Amino acid sequence: MKRYLYLFLFVLIGLELVAQSARSPVKEVNISKAPLRWAPANLEISDIAFSDEHGNSNSVLDANEEAEISFTLSNLGKGNANALAADVIVVNTIKGIELFFKKQLGDLFAGHSMRVALPIKGVPFLQSGQAELEITVEEANGFDSNPI
């Protein structure tokens, strides 16, 4: 009889332990509007300039001359701009112009600006004419600038 009593108590204690482990503790949870983890960047290009100060400073790209196109890139958004790249598209082709079609710029924090300089070079057989370029700054999350 004593053995059955111990067995009964052992089974009863085991069932209570199993029942306790199956219950979840009660927690109070406050639900509120979650803050945004990230916000979009808003890129703006301004203060565009052409400089041939390393050449003859006549504001014209000549043969065998190195110059640069520069602009200010601002992030007016509430989020950081990541993995930026300046992309140059030639709208009308002038033979003899060398330029980088894509330049990596890094990241730009919200509310900050940077000055960007894109090198351009006239080779010996530079054709006369007026070149038209379109510059866009691409952002890794798709928040690209408007083309200029």
Side-chain angles (χ1 to χ4, degrees), residues 64-79:
N64 295 319
E65 184 175 47
E66 293 181 10
E68 68 181 22
I69 299 168
S70 61
F71 57 89
T72 300
L73 177 65
S74 302
N75 182 358
L76 305 176
K78 295 185 187 258

Side-chain angles (χ1 to χ4, degrees), residues 69 88-92 97 99 120 131-135 148:
I69 299 168
V88 180
I89 297 170
V90 178
V91 177
N92 71 323
I97 294 179
L99 55 96
I120 185 168
E132 290 182 42
L133 307 173
E134 183 177 283
I135 301 171
I148 56 163

